[in-house]
Amino acid sequence: MIDILADGRYSLACVQTALAGQPRPERRTPCFFNPQHGPSVRDVTWTPGGHGTRIVPACAQDAARVERGERLAVRQIKVGGLAAAYWESGAAAFAPYQERYFQEAMVEAGLVNPRINSPGS
């Protein structure tokens, strides 16, 4: 099943690169830090405070921020009236990603069973 929003963001990225005279971008997973940033352009090594180092997909701006050691503006979710990074917001924050954006990675990590947790089931 195609995720319409991710498809639209990829199409927008294709138009932007065409207007800039650049080749069409590779179709990639949305930016981990905020999927609203659009498709990621590369993977970066990121170490969130106290959570261990991991490799995540990032948009160009967030990849540059990670490499410069800057603080990132990540997608926030309200939990109990307080804003928190979406990955610290519990299972409800991950539902859209589980179904679409990061399904393959979550299956590989054993976090979901595709026969049970697949979209439309």
Side-chain angles (χ1 to χ4, degrees):
M1 179 182 250
I2 296 173
D3 183 86
I4 295 170
L5 188 55
D7 194 44
R9 287 188 177 127
Y10 174 72
S11 295
L12 180 60
C14 289
V15 169
Q16 290 170 333
T17 57
L19 289 172
Q22 299 172 345
R24 179 180 290 218
E26 173 188 2
R27 183 156 191 134
R28 291 183 45 98
T29 302
C31 178
F32 173 80
F33 301 103
N34 188 336
Q36 295 167 325
H37 294 167
S40 61
V41 296
R42 61 191 161 124
D43 295 337
V44 295
T45 301
W46 177 64
T47 306
H51 295 288
T53 299
R54 60 197 66 182
I55 296 173
V56 297
C59 65
Q61 292 82 8
D62 283 346
R65 287 182 188 109
V66 167
E67 290 167 352
R68 290 190 302 260
E70 294 178 12
R71 185 181 172 118
L72 297 163
V74 301
R75 181 171 182 261
Q76 300 286 304
I77 301 285
K78 290 242 178 183
V79 178
L82 300 173
Y86 75 94
W87 57 79
E88 296 175 342
S89 301
F94 286 100
Y97 304 99
Q98 177 181 348
E99 294 177 6
R100 302 276 193 279
Y101 298 136
F102 300 110
Q103 178 73 24
E104 183 177 318
M106 293 180 80
V107 169
E108 288 176 10
L111 299 173
V112 297
N113 181 329
R115 290 185 282 265
I116 297 171
N117 302 100
S118 63
S121 63

